[in-house]
Amino acid sequence: MEYHEKTPIMDARKYKLGDVVYVTGELVLARDEAHKKLLEEGSPVDLKGAVVYHCGPVITKRNGEWKVVAAGPTTSIRMEIFEDKFIEKFRPAMIVGKGGMGERTLKALKEYGAVYAAYTGGCGALAAERIKGVKEVHFLEELGIPEAVWVFNVEEFGPLVVTMDAHGNSYYDNVDEEAKKNLDALLNKIESES
Amino acid sequence: MIDEIVEAIRRAETELAEDTVQALKKAYEKETNEMARTQLKAIIENFTVARKGSLPMCQDTGLQTFFIDMGYDFPYRAQLKDAITEAVRRATKEVPLRPNAVHPFLHKNSEDNTGRFVPYIHWELREGDDAIIHVIPKGGGSENMSGLYMLSPGVGIKGIKKTVIEHIFKSGGYPCPPTIIGVGIGGGADLALTLAKKAAILRPVPSRHEEEFVAQLEDELYEMANKLGIGPMGLGGDTTVLDVHVEYAHRHPATLPLGIVTQCWANRKRKVLIDANGHVEVV
């Protein structure tokens, strides 16, 4: 299925593994330090039904206006130590990043009806093209540009592929299992060569 | 020559090299997995948008790295290091690049992509009076998926094949596949990795080694890697690697070093050619 959604998203349980989502509305950036900060101090942004993006963007200021230059996803597994508590506390609908996350996050997604979606790694220019402006930024002085909590206005931001759903399923488990089988077959084949 | 080096960095960062563009388009045509097609399509759209808008194709604009292939009699050799460092500072502001040089003890970012030993410059000398500067900024995600294996010589080519395939399996989606794998065999630990990096980045995609038995190993590794089913971004599919390049050196009788360097799909590379008369060209 392909979805074109407006934020906030209040019914994330409907998504299945492999669904492709394009988001219009607000995108909230949070990576390592921002997760820590928001958990400690609370969020200045309402995150209920929000799309939270693991991203450290390149942003410049020209004539007093922010310009998003590149904003592809960062590796999500680093946020595994925070994400379950983050989901419990703020109830976002969708976590977006690359590479997938672990068991703790999968459990929290199920419990609170959220999903994890993958955005294609390295696609910083495509992402920037779909970001129409900076709505607000928090903790900029303290955390710096790549780590601050940015709120972007986005149009048709995607393709976001649902890879962990709200029912305890992870697409990564399927791919890993299949790849492991293929690996074993290849190693056997190499071993049998003369 | 500073202007031309800045220009080479800008083009490396914003215009994906043509060989890799063609390899990705071909992979998209051939790919049978729907999920993989979504990913390849996004990658193709991304480098098209980057080229059009002269924007970095990835927000990780890499560690600024330069391989210099220089004649013994190149008259401007004394100016190269300073010119490259100055070009990196300017490119950081002008392209712009993400500041990616951090002090490992003080955690302080230099903000201009320069610092102790960076930009990293690798020098090689040969006959002649010209120089080629390979401009090859490389992202952190794929560099994290490098590997050095000091194998027992007794495991032979079989052991090398197994280790490379297992390495690609273990890397999964983390280095942003489809990747280009560079394999360096022999020499010492450092040479094996240097050969691997040169093989991954400096050689065209696709290309085969001039020696038949090395070319055959490249074919085998390429086919096996794409049978793993890891796919673009580790989401499954036929396209895990765009190519595998192998280079080798003679080894010590007691050692079999195997270096593996992974280059993400954002294969950023340009060359600055400088002749003895000071004529400079970016290709």
Side-chain angles (χ1 to χ4, degrees), chain A residues 119-120 123 126 158-159, chain B residues 28 36-48 265:
Chain A
Y119 185 58
T120 312
C123 288
L126 181 62
Chain B
Y28 178 65
R37 287 179 61 82
T38 329
Q39 300 304 304
L40 290 170
K41 189 164 167 246
I43 290 170
I44 292 168
E45 272 182 60
N46 179 69
F47 67 62
T48 310
W265 68 258

Side-chain angles (χ1 to χ4, degrees), chain A residues 72 120 122 126 182 191 193, chain B residues 46 57 59 158 161-162 228:
Chain A
T120 312
L126 181 62
N182 296 334
E191 188 54 48
E193 286 170 359
Chain B
N46 179 69
M57 64 189 87
Q59 72 287 343
K158 254 188 202 184
K161 285 187 203 169
K162 280 187 187 173
L228 282 170

